[in-house]
Amino acid sequence: ILTGTEKQRRANRAEELLDVISKQSPAIIKAGQALASRPDLFPKEYLEALQKLQDRCPAYPTNQAIAQFESEIGVPFDEIFEYESPLEPAAAASIGQVYKAKLKSNGAEVAIKIQRPNCMNTISTDLFVLRWYSNLVERLLKLVGRNISLVSVIDDFGELIFREMDYRAEAVNAQRFAELYASIPDVFVPKVYTDLSTGKVLTMEWVTGARLSDKSSLERMGLDSSKFVDILVQCSLRQMLENGFFHADPHAGNLLAMPSGKLCFLDFGMVSYVESQQRYSIIEAVVH
């Protein structure tokens, strides 16, 4: 900034920030994901870099993932699934990573999300450290006349992460979301295989598609991105104003444009509710 070169070096600084955060533990990576949707705090280059944290986090060894699956389900991985060898993660996120396989029973393609080993202890430590530092920063800000409750922000953030670590809750959320919104034209919610899901393992229908931000893939599939904006707006309004049960983490990695033209919602670890009185107030404000 002092030398007037901040803008031309911004992309490099953004990649460096991404590299630093991606090497941290799950809660720090999750915080980086949250910052990726804050254009009020960061310029475009930083947002684009941080968005890569949504499904491109450092992967952990596959043998640990298989051991976690077998410990949770109680059946050898190879007895249930067939897959291309060697088995590699299709995506790696802050809390778990996803594998693609086929069920031997019926040949259906599935996504198997398996939580990182020792995730609960690691995130608990992260949150303790973040809370300690936020308390320190909060006191420093008060010295310059800024009264911001950073500790409350970390507490809310921690509550969301702990809720997201329970894959049984995510399975219930996905089924509830499907009941309420899968009937909306062009909205798709993948099926949950509850018999192959636990608190640390979630097995769902595999969905092929492209991110809404991936213009080249949408063009190859002959899809119009503006149509998906309409679908997303219609579904969001139904969530916020009609039923109150809404997907609380609709970032680019959790929304897929399917070749059929449908919009698929993924990852139901973070959901929330708008109370009826709040919904009426929003509608009244719109009407006025």
Side-chain angles (χ1 to χ4, degrees):
I1 292 172
L2 290 174
T3 58
T5 57
E6 189 272 330
K7 284 190 177 179
Q8 69 188 59
R9 297 182 182 177
R10 191 178 286 170
N12 291 338
R13 298 291 86 81
E15 287 299 321
E16 288 170 2
L17 177 63
L18 172 65
D19 183 58
V20 168
I21 294 178
S22 65
K23 291 177 181 176
Q24 306 306 312
S25 45
I28 308 298
I29 292 174
K30 201 73 185 170
Q33 292 173 347
L35 291 173
S37 58
R38 294 295 301 272
D40 56 321
L41 297 179
F42 285 102
K44 179 184 176 184
E45 291 84 353
Y46 285 87
L47 298 177
E48 289 177 347
L50 291 175
Q51 283 170 6
K52 296 175 184 177
L53 292 169
Q54 290 163 355
D55 60 4
R56 300 178 203 174
C57 299
Y60 67 91
T62 294
N63 63 328
Q64 293 182 19
I66 292 176
Q68 176 96 295
F69 177 91
E70 293 178 346
S71 172
E72 288 289 308
I73 303 299
V75 180
F77 193 86
D78 291 341
E79 280 190 19
I80 305 173
F81 304 110
E82 53 185 23
Y83 50 87
E84 292 184 7
S85 186
L87 182 64
E88 298 289 344
S94 55
I95 293 175
Q97 60 193 34
V98 177
Y99 293 89
K100 181 181 180 181
K102 286 184 179 181
L103 289 172
K104 285 187 174 181
S105 58
N106 60 9
E109 290 188 331
V110 293
I112 311 141
K113 184 159 73 169
I114 305 172
Q115 197 170 107
R116 291 178 180 270
N118 203 32
C119 197
M120 177 70 77
N121 292 340
T122 305
I123 286 179
S124 298
T125 305
D126 287 345
L127 290 171
F128 178 84
V129 173
L130 284 171
R131 202 176 190 278
W132 190 90
Y133 275 108
S134 65
N135 187 47
L136 183 65
V137 173
E138 199 174 293
R139 291 179 184 179
L140 292 173
L141 288 173
K142 284 181 180 178
L143 295 177
V144 294
R146 297 296 302 275
N147 190 12
I148 302 173
S149 181
L150 292 178
V151 173
S152 297
V153 173
I154 298 299
D155 287 347
D156 287 344
F157 177 59
E159 183 182 342
L160 285 171
I161 290 184
F162 279 120
R163 203 184 303 163
E164 193 173 357
M165 278 193 289
D166 185 357
Y167 288 175
R168 287 168 299 193
E170 182 175 348
V172 171
N173 292 338
Q175 291 169 321
R176 177 68 173 152
F177 194 92
E179 289 172 8
L180 293 173
Y181 308 117
S183 61
I184 299 174
D186 296 325
V187 169
F188 184 85
V189 181
K191 173 186 174 182
V192 176
Y193 291 85
T194 52
D195 57 330
L196 295 175
S197 300
T198 68
K200 295 181 180 179
V201 173
L202 180 63
T203 306
M204 300 182 76
E205 177 181 0
W206 179 269
V207 178
T208 300
R211 289 185 175 206
L212 300 186
S213 55
D214 187 352
K215 292 183 180 180
S216 58
S217 293
L218 292 177
E219 288 173 359
R220 282 198 301 271
M221 293 189 289
L223 299 174
D224 179 8
S225 59
S226 62
K227 175 191 173 185
F228 292 99
V229 175
D230 291 340
I231 299 169
L232 184 56
V233 168
Q234 290 295 326
C235 187
S236 298
L237 288 173
R238 289 277 290 274
Q239 292 175 58
M240 301 296 291
L241 302 181
E242 188 172 293
N243 295 299
F245 178 78
F246 67 94
H247 192 301
D249 194 22
H251 61 65
N254 290 340
L255 296 165
L256 286 183
M258 300 172 66
S260 62
K262 290 191 173 186
L263 175 65
C264 175
F265 283 79
L266 299 172
D267 195 342
F268 298 89
M270 292 172 64
V271 300
S272 193
Y273 299 88
V274 181
E275 300 296 337
S276 58
Q277 190 56 48
Q278 293 173 316
R279 298 203 298 273
Y280 296 145
S281 296
I282 295 171
I283 292 170
E284 286 174 358
V286 172
V287 170
H288 286 309

